[in-house]
Amino acid sequence: MSVVDGLPFADEKKKYILEVLDPVLEEMVSDVLTEVPPVPLDYMIGWLRKRSGLIAVHDQQSFQSRNKALKQELKQIKCSIEEAGNAIKTEKPDEDEEEEDEDDEMDEIPESMKKPEAQMGRARQSVSAEAYGTWNQKQAFTPPVHAKSDDQKDRLKSTLQKSFMFSSLEAKDMETILMAMKEVPMKAGEKVIIEGDDGDFLFVIETGSLECIKKIDGEDKVVKTCEPGDVFGELALLYNCPRAASVVAKNECVCWQLDRESFNHIVKEAAAIKRNKYESFLKSVSLISSIDAYERSQIADALVPETFKKGDTIVTQGEPGDKFYIVEDGALYAMKGGDRVMEYKSGDYFGELALLKNQPRAASVVVDSAEAKVLSMTRLSFSKMLGPLQGLLARQADAYK
């Protein structure tokens, strides 16, 4: 039974509801249920503004005020550092101390910069801004190896391919991660992560579901539910910060645990290389070149490279569409009703029409060059990351006609 059956509207309006209105409402309701905002109306208004590419004036003012406050805070920190530097320069050590080997000396750490005793012994370097030099040599890394059966490896690989963080790893890096991860079964109600703790592992869910719980106004509130293929615990590793929320198993689960060192040396570095490569390329894509650097980096993280040979059909007319594509290299063409209607080269994109209108593919796209490389994005990533551009995409849809 259709959602419009029984409604007192003309067929034309029922068609509009099914093809235009319903996909937008369905996506918005899905996001509302995922985020569970305390004030749904405000959240939905903001969601619609973001989707349409509009930002309220008061939002812009809010961004400006936050930016101003951050600049002031940065200025204060800079002054404090300069004062500390001047104080150090004015302190002269005793002559006897000057004769000691300076290379073996270590200044006392200021009390204000010391970690609490509970965290001593667990100090670590920053993940988000690692720097190496003569004073900080990058150590050789040997990843751990946890023996697995072929069945376990197949299950884990299938799970990792559902996560954008791991799906784009090179084959060699994927094999290393597969062997470095450890299977961790969890019982219903088991607390896997505690809010505020240091984090040394992230987890990928194979089966079951877990709830992310934060203390809000003194009460424990579920802010997110993680399902198979989801990653949790990665924020503490990415940004070297305490756990942002507690995570509790909702039912019996099987998760795969990855340690910090393996993540930093393989996943994080691979992600950084991939991001730098695709960010530079995306600047040449007319559709994406106009958005800011942060949004472009998020899109770069979500892109998955795919390679095709001459004559391969990437999308087929009349079939459902669940991906958006950008041509990285090579030549392609679109076929519609037996006619060659469009050519694609590096920087061009296709596949958005089926996602925008929730309709079957309007044309087939075939590889014309000896080889073609494309970057694909799933329907979910397309909706979330290209939301502000969907108005522009819809206006350009006439190019397919």
Side-chain angles (χ1 to χ4, degrees):
M1 181 176 177
S2 172
V3 295
V4 298
D5 288 347
L7 294 178
F9 298 126
D11 289 343
E12 184 177 330
K13 290 187 176 179
K14 289 182 179 180
K15 183 179 179 182
Y16 176 82
I17 292 173
L18 286 172
E19 295 182 357
V20 180
L21 193 57
D22 188 54
V24 176
L25 293 176
E26 183 179 339
E27 183 184 344
M28 181 173 69
V29 170
S30 174
D31 283 353
V32 169
L33 293 177
T34 299
E35 299 295 335
V36 195
V39 185
L41 186 59
D42 289 348
Y43 178 87
M44 288 188 284
I45 291 172
W47 189 95
L48 291 168
R49 283 186 179 132
K50 183 178 178 181
R51 179 69 181 269
S52 65
L54 299 174
I55 300 178
V57 174
H58 73 270
D59 288 338
Q60 292 178 338
Q61 292 172 343
S62 175
F63 294 151
Q64 291 171 355
S65 63
R66 281 200 296 258
N67 189 35
K68 184 177 180 181
L70 287 171
K71 286 182 177 178
Q72 183 63 29
E73 185 178 346
L74 184 60
K75 184 177 179 181
Q76 291 172 352
I77 293 172
K78 184 178 179 182
C79 291
S80 298
I81 292 173
E82 289 177 351
E83 289 176 5
N86 291 333
I88 292 171
K89 288 178 181 178
T90 57
E91 292 180 0
K92 293 183 178 180
D94 294 338
E95 291 183 1
D96 291 339
E97 292 178 348
E98 288 179 346
E99 293 175 359
E100 295 179 2
D101 185 356
E102 293 181 357
D103 291 337
D104 293 334
E105 290 182 351
M106 179 177 288
D107 292 335
E108 185 75 18
I109 299 175
E111 289 295 326
S112 61
M113 296 176 65
K114 287 184 178 179
K115 275 192 169 186
E117 288 185 10
Q119 296 183 18
M120 295 302 287
R122 290 188 291 173
R124 59 175 65 101
Q125 297 166 330
S126 170
V127 174
S128 56
E130 192 75 67
Y132 298 104
T134 56
W135 54 274
N136 183 26
Q137 296 292 331
K138 188 172 184 178
Q139 302 297 317
F141 171 66
T142 302
V145 175
H146 299 285
K148 297 176 180 67
S149 66
D150 290 341
D151 176 63
Q152 284 180 309
K153 290 175 68 174
D154 290 341
R155 283 165 35 215
L156 177 54
K157 187 171 184 179
S158 175
T159 301
L160 292 180
Q161 287 174 340
K162 298 175 186 175
S163 169
F164 80 88
M165 186 176 289
F166 297 96
S167 61
S168 59
L169 287 175
E170 299 290 339
K172 177 174 66 70
D173 291 332
M174 176 64 84
E175 181 65 22
T176 303
I177 288 296
L178 283 175
M179 299 311 295
M181 296 190 93
K182 178 182 178 182
E183 186 174 13
V184 182
M186 300 170 184
K187 297 179 180 178
E190 183 176 342
K191 186 170 281 190
V192 185
I193 285 175
I194 299 175
E195 183 177 357
D197 278 3
D198 282 341
D200 292 306
F201 302 96
L202 64 75
F203 299 86
V204 182
I205 305 172
E206 180 183 351
T207 61
S209 58
L210 300 96
E211 292 180 331
C212 299
I213 301 171
K214 281 185 68 70
K215 276 208 173 293
I216 301 176
D217 297 329
E219 294 183 12
D220 289 340
K221 295 187 178 180
V222 177
V223 294
K224 182 182 179 183
T225 299
C226 297
E227 304 290 350
D230 288 345
V231 179
F232 65 92
E234 79 283 5
L235 293 180
L237 275 61
L238 279 168
Y239 303 111
N240 195 27
C241 61
R243 295 297 195 186
S246 297
V247 180
V248 179
K250 192 175 180 181
N251 43 45
E252 287 192 357
C253 305
V254 174
C255 294
W256 293 90
Q257 174 184 287
L258 182 66
D259 65 283
R260 173 184 289 275
E261 289 300 311
S262 298
F263 175 79
N264 287 348
H265 283 84
I266 302 172
V267 182
K268 182 175 173 291
E269 287 192 5
I273 293 170
K274 172 193 168 188
R275 175 183 286 185
N276 291 336
K277 173 185 175 182
Y278 291 154
E279 272 189 333
S280 299
F281 170 70
L282 290 175
K283 290 178 183 178
S284 67
V285 180
S286 59
L287 172 68
I288 299 171
S289 60
S290 61
I291 66 178
D292 64 38
Y294 174 76
E295 290 174 321
R296 196 158 52 240
S297 71
Q298 298 303 296
I299 292 173
D301 286 342
L303 293 172
V304 177
E306 297 185 38
T307 302
F308 297 90
K309 301 295 183 182
K310 183 178 179 67
D312 286 349
T313 300
I314 300 177
V315 302
T316 303
Q317 183 177 356
E319 290 188 354
D322 59 357
K323 288 183 182 180
F324 166 72
Y325 297 90
I326 300 173
V327 182
E328 182 181 9
D329 188 40
L332 305 91
Y333 61 90
M335 294 288 293
K336 188 171 183 179
D339 297 325
R340 189 161 169 159
V341 295
M342 189 172 293
E343 307 292 326
Y344 298 104
K345 62 182 185 306
S346 178
D348 290 339
Y349 55 90
F350 61 92
E352 77 283 4
L353 194 59
L355 304 187
L356 284 170
K357 298 190 174 182
N358 203 26
Q359 296 176 346
R361 296 294 191 188
S364 296
V365 177
V366 183
V367 178
D368 198 22
S369 53
E371 183 179 84
K373 295 180 180 179
V374 298
L375 304 173
S376 66
M377 181 183 289
T378 64
R379 176 186 289 272
L380 180 61
S381 296
F382 175 83
S383 298
K384 287 184 177 294
M385 298 184 184
L386 295 181
L389 298 174
Q390 290 191 18
L392 173 62
L393 285 166
R395 289 193 294 272
Q396 293 179 344
D398 289 340
Y400 288 93
K401 297 180 180 179

